[in-house]
Amino acid sequence: MTGNIETEIKLLISKSSFKRLYAYLVEKGSKPRVTRQVNYYFDSPDPSRRYGLLNIRIRLANDTAELTCKIPIRELTDKDVISSHEYNARLSLAEAYLYIKNGLSAADIKDHFASIPEFGSYELYDTICYGRLRTTRIAFTIREELPPLLMDINKYLDTVDHEIEWELEQTDYALTLLNSLFTDLGIQKAGKAEPKRIRFFRRLEKLRQDASAGR
C-alpha cells in the first residue's frame, strides 16, 4: 500500500472552452498524451450510511487495477483546490472484477488499508459498486518545472462533463497561470468544482428521483 497527501486544482469548464484550451496548447507546441481509465465507485447499500466521507474506488487503466481510499482534508480544501489523504493498493484484474461484482466488505477494506491512521475516526462498513465513470485524460506540459496539466473528458450515467485537474503543491502559482490563460482565451468556470465521485453520486440520485417521480 502507498499513501500520500494529494493536492489538486479542479475546475469544470464547458465543452467549447475545453476545445479552445486544447487547441491553444497544441498550437503552442505542447504535445498531448492521452490515457483512458475507468473508475468504479463503492458505497454502502444502506441509505442512512450512503455518501459518507470515505471515497472508495477501483480504477482500471492500461490493464492494471488499483484500489483507492481517499479521505478529505477539509482545512486544506478551498473553492478550486481539493486536498485529501490518498491511499492506493494494487489489485489483480481478477480481484478487481470480483469486488466490482460482489462489493467490498468492511473486512476487505480494512485488509487492504489496515495501516491507515485516519481509519480510527471512521466506522467501516460493507459496500457495493454503484457504477462507473469513464475518463479520457489528456496531459499537457505547460511549464517544465510543473507536473502536467490534465484535461479530463468524463462520461457517466448519460452525462458528459469537462474538467481541468492539476495535481501539484504550488497551487497559488498554478492558479495564477490558469486564471491568466482563461482570461486570454475567454474561458469561464462551469459550476462548482467537486470530486468525480460526488458528481457521479449526485447524478445517480437525480436519476433515481426522476424515476420515482415517473419522469
Side-chain angles (χ1 to χ4, degrees):
M1 182 190 74
T2 61
N4 64 282
I5 292 180
E6 178 191 67
T7 300
E8 60 183 352
I9 296 170
K10 187 179 287 288
L11 305 170
L12 289 176
I13 60 177
S14 68
K15 179 179 180 179
S16 60
S17 292
F18 189 95
K19 293 171 70 174
R20 197 179 314 148
L21 178 59
Y22 176 92
Y24 172 84
L25 294 175
V26 170
E27 180 184 345
K28 291 298 180 180
S30 183
K31 295 182 179 180
R33 299 181 301 282
V34 180
T35 58
R36 290 176 174 82
Q37 58 195 33
V38 185
N39 289 348
Y40 291 85
Y41 294 111
F42 292 76
D43 211 329
S44 172
D46 181 351
S48 66
R49 293 180 180 270
R50 205 174 297 153
Y51 316 136
L53 290 177
L54 294 181
N55 178 349
I56 305 291
R57 75 167 188 230
I58 288 176
R59 172 172 288 175
L60 303 182
N62 300 321
D63 294 323
T64 64
E66 185 175 63
L67 174 63
T68 296
C69 176
K70 287 188 179 185
I71 304 172
I73 307 174
R74 296 192 179 279
E75 61 270 21
L76 297 181
T77 295
D78 200 357
K79 62 179 181 178
D80 295 327
V81 178
I82 296 175
S83 292
S84 59
H85 297 283
E86 179 177 313
Y87 299 92
N88 300 296
R90 295 299 295 269
L91 301 175
S92 68
L93 289 176
E95 284 180 303
Y97 286 121
L98 184 65
Y99 290 142
I100 290 167
K101 179 180 179 181
N102 298 326
L104 273 160
S105 68
D108 293 328
I109 297 170
K110 189 172 183 180
D111 183 52
H112 285 291
F113 299 114
S115 60
I116 293 181
E118 291 81 13
F119 269 5
S121 303
Y122 296 93
E123 179 186 358
L124 298 183
Y125 44 79
D126 296 342
T127 67
I128 60 174
C129 178
Y130 279 88
R132 65 191 180 190
L133 178 150
R134 296 180 178 274
T135 297
T136 298
R137 170 162 286 178
I138 309 166
F140 284 100
T141 298
I142 64 173
R143 289 287 191 279
E144 290 298 330
E145 72 274 16
L146 296 176
L149 175 72
L150 307 176
M151 300 181 65
D152 288 352
I153 304 171
N154 305 302
K155 299 180 179 180
Y156 55 101
L157 302 173
D158 301 324
T159 298
V160 179
D161 65 33
H162 298 77
E163 177 183 24
I164 303 299
E165 281 193 10
W166 212 349
E167 298 177 11
L168 75 181
E169 295 180 359
Q170 308 95 316
T171 54
D172 290 341
Y173 174 43
L175 279 171
T176 298
L177 290 176
L178 278 180
N179 288 331
S180 176
L181 189 57
F182 281 16
T183 297
D184 291 342
L185 297 177
I187 293 174
Q188 295 183 342
K189 302 170 193 175
K192 182 181 178 181
E194 295 175 313
K196 291 178 174 67
R197 171 181 179 267
I198 290 179
R199 304 200 308 270
F200 172 89
F201 277 111
R202 178 176 288 118
R203 178 61 180 163
L204 180 62
E205 189 65 26
K206 177 66 166 56
L207 291 175
R208 286 178 167 174
Q209 290 173 356
D210 288 349
S212 297
R215 297 175 186 171

